[in-house]
Amino acid sequence: MTAPRSPHSRLSAALVLLALSAVSVSASEFTTAVNYAAGTSPISIVVADFNGDGKPDLAIADFNSGDVSILLGNGNGTFQTAVSYGAGTRPISIATGDFNGDGILDLAIANNASSGTVSILLGQGNGTFKQGAAYPAGSSSRYVAVGDFNDDGNLDLAVANQTSNNVSILLGNGNGTFQAPVNYNAGSAPVFVAAVALGTSGVLDLVVADASSGIQSTVSVLLGNGDGTFQPAVSYSTGSRPESVAVADFNGDGIPDLATADYSANEVSVLLGTGNGAFGQAVNYTVGTEPVAIATADFNGDGYADLVTANFDEKNVSVLLGNGDGTFKTAVSYGAGSYPRAIAAVDVNGDNAPDLEVANDIGNNVSILLNTGGTFVTTTSSPNPSNFGQPVTFSTTVAASLSGSPTPTGSVTWTENGSTVLGTMTLNSSGQASLIVSTLTSGTDTITTAYSGNSTYNPNSAPPLTQTVNGGNGPLVTLNPTSLTFATQDIGTKSAPQVVTLTNVGNATLTITSITTTANFHQSNTCGSGLLAGGSCTINVSFAPAKAGMLTGTLSVTDNAPGSPQTVSLSGTGTVVELMPSSLAFGSQTINTTSPPQTITLTNLAANSALSITGLDITGTDSTDFAETNTCGHSVPARSSCTITVTFTPTTTGQLNASVSISDNGGGSPQTVPLSGTGAN
């Protein structure tokens, strides 16, 4: 017996939903397919850890050889030789779950005989399986899905039955056995069923792909009642002959959406959810020829759900990157094996970038396409354990997961106990970054490291690092920020204050002896003489330059905490050049006419030295629409002033902008006065 060839008997994909945190967008790419032999006519695939080693394995339903192939994973994207286990007649779909409550994954296989059945293979925890019972389903069973439909803690089965136009529900007994099927009508020729909670109650519902060629193509939605029963099917139109359904939130509104692989239309239909299990009108996207399976994952790490289809006739897969608003970019195709029939999207090499696993019907194999956006992120600390208040160095390396790939660039951010950001550093040319921290809290801390990603690599995170901090019976000071930079300020004047927050992150009262600043800077504070554990106060720092030029200083806090005095570095530029007013606005002026003049007064605030002017002109995008004359010349005596007269003669309509720019030796050069005006007809 050969595998079914009629268009509306093409196989559907295993549905895989993968959630990733993210921040940065990369271009999703995949390597050339590497093939691994399976049984005869592999037609369905599921990815899970069957031997408990933490590495993804493959289970494949082989239609013509009547068995299931198990390919144990090596954890690096490669797989061991397939081992076969008998199933029923014409196994066409495979799913996994712990059906007997022993903590070990089992398999459920839908068999596509005229009187459909579901075979159970019980896992033994080492990647091997033993034969369980077979249970009747409907006529020509096509797809099996797993879920707890009656909320009793036991997994149940839902089976789409193609020729009986229904879905069979087999409630699980929790010991690896199942009750007699109860059938619920679906649409015409149901070939796929997904079990997913479409509402906010968490109750599982059913989404069924109805692949009949004789009526309008649809997906049927059967809302669950939470007790193992389902409401009558409600149908929604799709493209021609949907063979598979993927469910995810494609537009970020928190409501599940649907995507179908439409075999005859060579399209994907996207139906956005409107809430309570209802869906809007389908929007279609072109993919390869005869898309027979679909899966969803975030392939490029931008936080948006993407889609991939297995295209039976074209021998490839199509990847559609999501825009996050329910729309998708143009499909990009990658070669697979001979006549792909099923697809999954799971990270199989541990780099946190979803890969593609494709079951190839005529090729008798499975293709693995690795995601090129993956990285390995590792973080170490020294010393560990450390003492309270002791500096600890966190070192992180970001490496490409595929050999021969360029060194990752971007930044990494370290966070303590899920909430306190310790710092962010840019990767060096070797893909490494480090951070020294002396403010870790006492006890056992969990340090997470997030890699930002870039245009080549997806965002990723290192495995959590446990840092032990001994001691801590005392106060500990943090200052935020640890540096302040002030804008250019006239000498003899004081800037608006900038705020430094002092926090006692220790577990004892902080005694503050003094808070001081060096020359040219001033402070006031709310801290008083002490601060309870966990308390904070504010220090307001102002810049009051006494001379021109770049000036630096220090805010110092003297107390009874480690590292006293704690400091904040301060900087600012003083200038003797006072410009009044600080900007000129000319309003509306008819083009090719000249405005009344406006005047800027330049004052040399220096007490004993002249201001040397080396340049005074108008600069900026629209500099030719403004003109100036001045009385300043090349020098302005101490405590003296000169004037700069500006006119506006617009040559075009619209908003026009420029600046008066003065180059001098007075500090903060060049000083500028913004100019604006509007040209009018």
Side-chain angles (χ1 to χ4, degrees):
M1 176 72 71
T2 59
R5 298 288 181 227
S6 65
H8 48 90
S9 65
R10 305 294 190 199
L11 177 70
S12 312
L15 176 65
V16 179
L17 299 178
L18 185 64
L20 297 175
S21 69
V23 187
S24 162
V25 180
S26 70
S28 176
E29 298 285 347
F30 294 88
T31 61
T32 301
V34 176
N35 297 326
Y36 296 85
T40 306
S41 295
I43 200 167
S44 181
I45 187 170
V46 66
V47 184
D49 180 11
F50 298 121
N51 61 350
D53 63 355
K55 303 170 184 178
D57 309 310
L58 307 179
I60 301 166
D62 303 314
F63 186 86
N64 277 346
S65 51
D67 55 30
V68 169
S69 294
I70 302 297
L71 289 78
L72 297 180
N74 297 314
N76 60 357
T78 66
F79 293 85
Q80 300 174 31
T81 302
V83 177
S84 297
Y85 298 87
T89 301
R90 303 200 305 182
I92 197 168
S93 171
I94 190 167
T96 187
D98 179 10
F99 302 131
N100 59 356
D102 61 358
I104 298 170
L105 288 177
D106 310 309
L107 296 174
I109 303 99
N111 301 301
N112 185 236
S114 56
S115 297
T117 61
V118 178
S119 298
I120 302 299
L121 296 179
L122 297 177
Q124 303 190 81
N126 58 359
T128 65
F129 293 85
K130 60 183 179 182
Q131 194 72 42
Y135 298 88
S139 179
S140 297
S141 300
R142 277 295 306 274
Y143 199 89
V144 59
V146 176
D148 182 3
F149 302 128
N150 59 352
D151 198 29
D152 63 354
N154 302 325
L155 290 180
D156 311 310
L157 304 178
V159 184
N161 304 305
Q162 183 174 351
T163 58
S164 54
N165 298 328
N166 59 21
V167 175
S168 296
I169 302 299
L170 290 76
L171 297 180
N173 297 314
N175 59 358
T177 66
F178 293 85
Q179 300 175 29
V182 177
N183 297 326
Y184 296 86
N185 291 332
S188 181
V191 296
F192 179 95
V193 58
V196 62
L198 299 176
T200 59
S201 66
V203 172
L204 288 179
D205 310 302
L206 301 178
V207 180
V208 183
D210 306 314
S212 172
S213 60
I215 62 172
Q216 173 67 48
S217 297
T218 61
V219 288
S220 296
V221 175
L222 290 77
L223 297 180
N225 296 314
D227 58 359
T229 66
F230 293 84
Q231 299 175 31
V234 177
S235 296
Y236 298 89
S237 296
T238 67
S240 181
R241 298 177 187 172
E243 291 282 342
S244 178
V245 180
V247 183
D249 180 8
F250 299 129
N251 61 351
D253 62 357
I255 299 172
D257 309 307
L258 305 181
T260 62
D262 305 326
Y263 167 84
S264 294
N266 301 329
E267 293 175 338
V268 164
S269 293
V270 176
L271 293 79
L272 298 180
T274 60
N276 299 318
F279 296 88
Q281 185 174 356
V283 177
N284 300 323
Y285 298 86
T286 301
V287 292
T289 305
E290 296 182 356
V292 71
I294 190 169
T296 182
D298 180 7
F299 296 120
N300 61 347
D302 61 358
Y304 305 143
D306 308 314
L307 294 171
V308 60
T309 62
N311 306 314
F312 182 78
D313 188 60
E314 204 163 330
K315 305 178 184 64
N316 63 14
V317 299
S318 294
V319 175
L320 297 86
L321 297 180
N323 296 315
D325 58 359
T327 65
F328 291 83
K329 293 180 173 61
T330 302
V332 178
S333 295
Y334 300 89
S338 183
Y339 297 95
R341 293 290 296 271
I343 191 166
V346 177
D347 174 19
V348 294
N349 63 345
D351 62 0
N352 206 27
D355 308 306
L356 301 179
E357 302 81 36
V358 187
N360 303 303
D361 184 357
I362 306 302
N364 298 329
N365 57 26
V366 58
S367 295
I368 304 298
L369 290 78
L370 297 179
N371 192 326
T372 62
T375 56
F376 297 126
V377 184
T378 56
T379 293
T380 60
S381 64
S382 179
N384 190 4
S386 60
N387 296 322
F388 184 73
Q390 180 181 12
V392 175
T393 300
F394 294 103
S395 300
T396 296
T397 299
V398 182
S401 60
L402 302 180
S403 62
S405 299
T407 301
T409 60
S411 62
V412 291
T413 298
W414 295 267
T415 302
E416 179 186 19
N417 297 328
S419 59
T420 302
V421 176
L422 300 175
T424 299
M425 298 294 288
T426 300
L427 295 174
N428 63 20
S429 59
S430 299
Q432 299 173 334
S434 62
L435 179 73
I436 300 175
V437 179
S438 58
T439 57
L440 298 174
T441 57
S442 179
T444 301
D445 295 342
T446 299
I447 307 298
T448 55
T449 309
Y451 166 52
S452 65
N454 62 12
S455 60
T456 301
Y457 297 106
N458 297 356
N460 200 357
S461 298
L465 170 71
T466 299
Q467 176 73 34
T468 301
V469 181
N470 296 320
N473 294 319
L476 182 64
V477 165
T478 63
L479 293 170
N480 185 34
T482 57
S483 65
L484 296 177
T485 300
F486 291 85
T488 300
Q489 186 74 24
D490 291 344
I491 65 170
T493 64
K494 182 185 291 188
S495 73
Q498 295 191 46
V499 176
V500 174
T501 300
L502 186 158
T503 304
N504 178 9
V505 297
N507 57 7
T509 298
L510 175 72
T511 300
I512 299 173
T513 304
S514 66
I515 300 177
T516 61
T517 54
T518 52
N520 300 300
F521 299 92
H522 299 274
Q523 67 83 26
S524 63
N525 65 80
T526 64
C527 300
S529 61
L531 199 60
L532 296 175
S536 297
C537 61
T538 57
I539 306 171
N540 298 303
V541 183
S542 299
F543 178 41
K547 58 183 179 179
M550 171 62 74
L551 302 173
T552 60
T554 303
L555 167 68
S556 297
V557 180
T558 304
D559 49 53
N560 65 334
S564 176
Q566 298 84 18
T567 61
V568 174
S569 60
L570 310 173
S571 63
T573 300
T575 183
V576 299
V577 179
E578 180 185 68
L579 295 167
M580 297 293 291
S582 58
S583 64
L584 296 180
F586 287 87
S588 180
Q589 182 72 31
T590 303
I591 61 172
N592 299 317
T593 66
T594 300
S595 71
Q598 296 192 45
T599 300
I600 302 167
T601 300
L602 185 157
T603 301
N604 177 8
L605 299 174
N608 300 308
S609 59
L611 175 70
S612 176
I613 296 177
T614 56
L616 197 163
D617 53 12
I618 295 179
T619 61
T621 305
D622 305 311
S623 59
T624 58
D625 294 288
F626 298 86
E628 64 82 20
T629 60
N630 67 82
T631 64
C632 301
H634 296 293
S635 180
V636 180
R639 297 193 182 280
S640 298
S641 300
C642 63
T643 59
I644 305 167
T645 302
V646 183
T647 57
F648 176 44
T649 307
T651 58
T652 186
T653 59
Q655 180 71 34
L656 302 170
N657 299 282
S659 296
V660 173
S661 179
I662 303 103
S663 299
D664 51 63
N665 66 343
S669 177
Q671 297 86 11
T672 59
V673 176
L675 309 174
S676 64
T678 303
N681 289 318

